[in-house]
Amino acid sequence: MAMKISDILPPFRHRLWSIALQGGATHAVSRLPLGADGKISWDYIDLLHLRESFRDHGLQLEVIEPGLDGQMHDMKLGTDKRDADIERCKQLIRNMGTVGIPVFCYNFMAKFNWVRTSTTTPARGGALVTSYDHALMKDAPLTDAGVVTADKLWENLKYFLEAVVPVAEEYNVKLALHPDDPPVESIQGISRIITNAEAMQKVLDLVPSAYSGITLCQGTLAAAGENIPDVIRQFGRQRKIFFVHFRDIKGTAERFTETFHDEGQTNMVEAIKTYKEVGFDGPVRIDHAPTLEGEDNRDPGYAEMGRLYALGYLRGLQESAGY
């Protein structure tokens, strides 16, 4: 029994695939693939090609984590197009199950995904990390969605789960909910509802299923003030941790800075020991690594050398725990 060390990799052959292998990753997390028309695809053949391409390179594709084009914002906002989003999601789950990709990571952050107010915050040795200061967002204008209440989002989430959970059960695909990042009450008038462990438990109880679980994003839940080993025990004992995002921060939900994986506020040694304690054997991907000297910062959190550092650190922790 061991966790499956992974990295988020492009849905096409890329030098990062080899870097991940060289750093010790055995499994891959990827975005939705591109079809023949160059657009993202939910189709069986494109998912099959993606899985086989990773396999031919020595990696097992374990998780689909949609990129910006696959966020299903109409579904989250409850627009008149939400059922089309849900039908595409059902198609994706059916095809993932048939191809043999076992985990679908989704979130319920409406209108936009993770938000930061800086992507150039100096860290150790001049490395660059992302940070968030909610005070800088208090006067930000509303989006074209206007004010979206928490009650509306909970209603839409229940509607979504009632539609897709039966499909996930039929096709043996685990639905892994990622918490809202940052875990604040609202951003630009749009409520955030998955902001702590209590909210994640509420989701699991909303439409109970062996195939409805969580992505345990350590950095988000640490910012929410949660004790990470306690959260691992809470959800691990329920067998509800389907996927882990391994990262850390310093601060609170309203003001935090991301860190190197070895210098945040979470006891990472204790976290790894706790994953072993609860018998977690799923995928864990290194997440939001610093941009190091000599690298460009075009994709904050995902530069190459920071990933390698994080992979080595995670591998060392795993070995030290006998895991």
Side-chain angles (χ1 to χ4, degrees):
M1 183 274 296
M3 58 172 53
K4 300 169 181 174
I5 294 182
S6 62
D7 196 0
I8 180 75
L9 299 170
F12 46 82
R13 284 289 183 112
H14 191 281
R15 67 193 302 265
L16 281 171
W17 290 23
S18 294
I19 289 172
L21 271 174
Q22 291 163 9
T26 54
H27 290 69
V29 178
S30 196
R31 308 300 190 191
L32 290 171
L34 301 179
D37 59 1
K39 298 179 181 179
I40 63 167
S41 173
W42 294 260
D43 289 348
Y44 173 85
I45 193 66
D46 294 317
L47 288 167
L48 179 63
H49 287 167
L50 183 63
R51 188 201 71 180
E52 288 299 287
S53 188
F54 274 117
R55 179 174 291 176
D56 291 341
H57 202 72
L59 291 162
Q60 181 174 325
L61 179 57
E62 194 76 4
V63 183
I64 292 293
E65 190 171 341
L68 294 178
D69 292 331
Q71 291 294 329
M72 300 182 290
H73 289 301
D74 285 304
M75 174 273 292
K76 296 171 188 176
L77 293 169
T79 75
D80 58 4
K81 298 179 181 178
R82 72 173 176 178
D83 288 332
D85 271 355
I86 290 173
E87 286 307 312
R88 282 191 292 269
C89 187
K90 287 180 178 179
Q91 178 190 355
L92 173 62
I93 292 168
R94 293 186 190 102
N95 289 335
M96 284 177 61
T98 306
V99 167
I101 306 169
V103 181
F104 175 56
C105 175
Y106 74 104
N107 67 65
F108 224 75
M109 293 179 272
K111 194 62 179 177
F112 29 69
N113 198 344
W114 62 290
V115 177
R116 296 292 186 269
T117 53
S118 173
T119 59
T120 54
T121 301
R124 188 171 70 202
L128 301 179
V129 296
T130 72
S131 62
Y132 182 78
D133 185 348
H134 198 57
L136 299 177
M137 297 297 292
K138 65 182 178 65
D139 295 324
L142 298 179
T143 72
D144 58 6
V147 173
V148 180
T149 67
D151 286 345
K152 181 63 174 176
L153 289 175
W154 279 112
E155 176 187 321
N156 294 344
L157 177 53
K158 188 172 189 289
Y159 184 89
F160 169 74
L161 290 173
E162 287 175 341
V164 301
V165 164
V167 182
E169 291 174 339
E170 181 180 357
Y171 285 86
N172 300 311
V173 173
K174 296 177 178 178
L175 306 175
L177 173 67
H178 188 291
D180 295 352
D181 179 19
V184 293
E185 184 176 347
S186 69
I187 296 176
Q188 292 184 260
I190 298 178
S191 295
R192 314 280 270 188
I193 58 173
I194 315 301
T195 55
N196 52 34
E198 180 182 2
M200 299 192 85
Q201 186 66 54
K202 179 177 177 179
V203 175
L204 301 184
D205 297 337
L206 203 60
V207 181
S209 170
Y211 288 87
S212 180
I214 70 165
T215 295
L216 201 161
C217 180
Q218 294 186 182
T220 304
L221 293 172
E226 302 283 2
N227 179 282
I228 298 304
D230 287 349
V231 173
I232 295 169
R233 290 188 181 96
Q234 175 184 345
F235 293 103
R237 289 168 180 168
Q238 299 176 66
R239 310 300 295 175
K240 290 296 188 179
I241 304 174
F242 294 163
F243 184 29
V244 171
H245 280 188
F246 188 76
R247 66 178 180 89
D248 208 2
I249 59 97
K250 288 181 180 178
T252 65
E254 298 219 340
R255 189 174 185 181
F256 64 84
T257 299
E258 296 207 78
T259 67
F260 279 88
H261 290 66
D262 61 357
E263 65 170 4
Q265 62 196 46
T266 301
N267 186 330
M268 293 296 217
V269 174
E270 187 64 26
I272 294 298
K273 289 179 178 177
T274 310
Y275 285 121
K276 181 183 179 183
E277 173 191 314
V278 301
F280 173 69
D281 60 358
V284 52
R285 81 162 172 89
I286 48 104
D287 194 18
H288 293 195
T291 299
L292 303 189
E293 182 64 29
E295 298 185 291
D296 65 56
N297 199 39
R298 287 178 295 180
D299 193 8
Y302 295 99
E304 294 174 1
M305 292 197 294
R307 291 176 188 238
L308 273 176
Y309 184 89
L311 279 169
Y313 180 62
L314 176 56
R315 292 264 297 177
L317 290 178
Q318 184 187 35
E319 183 175 350
S320 70
Y323 184 18

